[in-house]
Amino acid sequence: MALERPRGTRDFPPEEMRRRDYAEGVVSSVFKSFGYGKVLSPAFEHTELFRRKSGEEISEHMYVFEDKGKRSLCLRPEETASVCRMFVQDLRSRQLPLKLYYHCPMYRYEEPQKGRYREFWQTGVELIGSSRPESDAEVVMMACEALLKLGLEYTLNISHIGVLRGLLSEVGLDEVGQDKAISGIDKKGADGVGDLKGGDALRSILRLEGGAQAMKEAMRMLEGHEKPLTALEELRKVSVLLDSGKADYRVKLGMARGLEYYTGMIFEVRVAGLGAQDQVCGGGRYDNLIELFGGPKTPAVGFAFGFDRLLEAMEQQGACFPEKDLDVYVACASDAVRPDAQRIASDLRRGLEGRSVELELLGRKLGKALEHASNLKARYAVIVGPDELKNESVTLRNMDSGEQRMVRITDLAKLID
Ligand code: AMP
């Protein structure tokens, strides 16, 4: 039987990795521009870490295994729990706020389909130590900035999990009951409320969606409901900051998010053209998680981009990716000059730092070698020939115009733009 990769995983050929590296570079440079530093946690953790609060949805889909020491371990299904564990274990004495970002693969045993994989990448941030609305606004703005730099059109929805929890507690649900209801609402929207007592009022709040008008309407509808109104007021403060940052958002109180650890503002980003898996980003405030992992009570807020979906959205929306460019291809006019060609290629790589220089490696005759250089979209070819070498020179060919001239080897690096 031929060996195949496991279901739900992918191989990435060089063209695809070029696109992925480019997108990763764009997103991380935005994070860095806000002062965030990159972290990496282990690919597997104690299963208990994710059982505590990542929610039923994730818990059901984890890759859990026992190691030889009979410990239950799990491939990381998300990164927020790992970053909080890292904070409690090693970073708690750092100056706050602590601003961290990551880009790494996650593992969930889900039914594979377009935009849903068993191994997928998330690129995200965690801002630890501030409970202020400015920090909620900062992470949302950072997500918007990254999407803008990637050239994506998107819809940003914001809410506050306290509105939903407040209303659910008013109809008599304890925390466990609320988690269940929230999971239902996450899957089915307002219909997920089911036949709860007082469900009609709840449904009409959850169906509210829109800009400033929806916020006003919600304020009016929640009058007299203390807990949900306090949560909505917090969301309003964040929305004012988003207005001044010129972020285009919609208030969507029916948004629930599958993760149980959220305690405040939550948000999601959707893009057109991805079908059912159109959510490219999810995040929110989680003020209890660090304490739950044995650390001091520390507020935090963050989000994760589904990196694979970002790439798919960029392709769908015709975003620009940089072309592969080979700067120089070094070919030989005869076998006798191969050692010289090798030396010239090495010197060029040193002289043209950051540029790519490829050497002909299959013993091709010159004509075939230049054909190959053209297939590789090389900008220049350097042709090393015995006669030119006698004058310490080579032929430099501009592959676009076909123009070529003899140049001194010592001048070569200067002549390649
Ligand atoms: P979550 O950690 O569930 O909030 O997900 C954050 C983001 O990761 C989502 O918005 C998706 O874009 C992405 N994502 C979640 N699950 C998968 C998956 N199985 N395959 C690809 N992307 C995923």
Side-chain angles (χ1 to χ4, degrees):
M1 191 187 73
L3 283 176
E4 287 181 9
R5 60 176 176 259
R7 209 162 121 71
T9 65
R10 289 153 298 159
D11 296 308
F12 300 103
E15 314 75 73
E16 221 165 313
M17 281 313 293
R18 202 169 56 242
R19 292 174 164 224
R20 292 173 74 88
D21 284 349
Y22 163 73
E24 184 196 338
V26 170
V27 176
S28 29
S29 67
V30 169
F31 296 167
K32 284 187 217 157
S33 76
F34 280 77
Y36 286 65
K38 191 172 186 179
V39 290
L40 181 63
S41 67
F44 55 89
E45 297 265 8
H46 293 292
T47 309
E48 171 65 12
L49 179 73
F50 301 109
R51 289 254 188 260
R52 280 208 193 161
K53 214 59 188 167
S54 293
E56 203 180 315
E57 177 72 16
I58 284 189
S59 229
E60 272 173 17
H61 296 117
M62 295 196 307
Y63 275 90
V64 176
F65 60 97
E66 200 174 77
D67 73 0
K68 290 186 179 175
K70 304 255 178 268
R71 296 169 199 94
S72 177
L73 298 173
C74 161
L75 295 182
R76 62 172 169 239
E78 55 114 0
E79 191 58 15
T80 301
S82 295
V83 172
C84 289
R85 196 259 316 126
M86 188 189 300
F87 175 77
V88 173
Q89 198 166 350
D90 295 324
L91 306 177
R92 61 204 289 176
S93 57
R94 302 280 173 113
Q95 284 255 304
L96 298 179
L98 193 56
K99 301 167 164 190
L100 308 173
Y101 81 92
Y102 57 84
H103 172 80
C104 49
M106 307 296 160
Y107 302 88
R108 295 185 195 173
Y109 193 83
E110 294 185 290
E111 207 38 52
Q113 52 185 281
K114 191 174 153 33
R116 191 172 284 282
Y117 309 98
R118 289 183 175 172
E119 182 190 51
F120 61 99
W121 271 252
Q122 284 188 343
T123 312
V125 303
E126 313 295 350
L127 169 49
I128 300 175
S130 167
S131 59
R132 297 188 59 89
E134 290 89 325
S135 47
D136 297 64
E138 172 164 305
V139 297
V140 176
M141 296 295 301
M142 237 180 353
C144 295
E145 185 67 17
L147 292 159
L148 186 81
K149 290 259 161 67
L150 291 174
L152 286 173
E153 278 182 34
Y154 61 89
T155 309
L156 162 65
N157 296 319
I158 62 168
S159 184
H160 191 302
I161 198 70
V163 174
L164 201 49
R165 285 202 182 274
L167 287 167
L168 291 170
S169 82
E170 279 181 8
V171 298
L173 293 184
D174 62 6
E175 206 176 315
V176 177
Q178 289 171 26
D179 288 346
K180 248 204 169 100
I182 287 172
S183 163
I185 293 166
D186 186 37
K187 287 188 193 112
K188 297 191 205 147
D191 295 339
V193 171
D195 52 7
L196 276 179
K197 178 167 62 81
D200 284 344
L202 187 57
R203 261 189 291 271
S204 52
I205 294 266
L206 296 187
R207 289 212 172 98
L208 255 189
E209 256 185 72
Q213 194 51 39
M215 178 68 87
K216 264 197 204 136
E217 182 70 7
M219 286 279 184
R220 194 190 55 75
M221 286 166 87
L222 288 176
E223 231 165 80
H225 300 260
E226 197 194 325
K227 275 193 196 158
L229 193 61
T230 310
L232 191 64
E233 179 52 30
E234 282 180 19
L235 184 64
R236 198 194 57 77
K237 285 186 188 148
V238 178
S239 74
V240 169
L241 295 165
L242 292 179
D243 287 337
S244 45
K246 300 210 167 19
D248 198 9
Y249 60 87
R250 288 168 63 78
V251 177
K252 187 177 175 187
L253 298 177
M255 183 172 46
R257 314 272 314 113
L259 301 161
E260 278 172 19
Y261 49 61
Y262 290 122
T263 55
M265 181 273 310
I266 49 176
F267 72 105
E268 63 175 19
V269 177
R270 294 184 183 267
V271 297
L274 290 190
Q277 310 305 328
D278 63 346
Q279 194 199 307
V280 296
C281 176
R285 171 164 289 285
Y286 53 95
D287 285 349
N288 298 335
L289 201 55
I290 290 173
E291 194 180 19
L292 192 82
F293 291 160
K297 185 157 176 53
T298 312
V301 57
F303 70 80
F305 279 125
F307 184 71
D308 309 273
R309 293 187 193 171
L310 282 184
L311 264 292
E312 278 155 29
M314 287 171 76
E315 262 149 47
Q316 279 287 331
Q317 296 189 9
C320 291
F321 288 100
E323 285 290 308
K324 180 195 176 192
D325 52 350
L326 172 59
D327 295 297
V328 186
Y329 187 81
V330 180
C332 301
S334 78
D335 273 344
V337 300
R338 288 196 176 269
D340 298 281
Q342 188 107 35
R343 170 178 51 82
I344 291 166
S346 297
D347 289 348
L348 266 181
R349 284 188 197 104
R350 279 185 211 121
L352 293 171
E353 219 180 290
R355 243 74 77 72
S356 50
V357 179
E358 270 194 47
L359 179 64
E360 200 291 310
L361 290 175
L362 286 186
R364 288 181 172 98
K365 295 256 181 300
L366 186 56
K368 288 277 177 217
L370 290 178
E371 212 176 291
H372 184 57
S374 148
N375 291 340
L376 291 175
K377 300 201 173 65
R379 294 194 301 122
Y380 290 95
V382 167
I383 303 162
V384 184
D387 297 337
E388 294 86 344
L389 271 183
K390 282 183 201 138
N391 298 320
E392 287 294 312
S393 300
V394 289
T395 302
L396 178 64
R397 180 185 173 93
N398 180 320
M399 294 296 290
D400 280 336
S401 63
E403 214 180 283
Q404 56 183 53
R405 58 185 165 141
M406 204 158 84
V407 302
R408 295 192 62 80
I409 296 172
T410 45
D411 294 336
L412 203 48
K414 274 186 276 172
L415 294 168
I416 289 165
D417 49 51

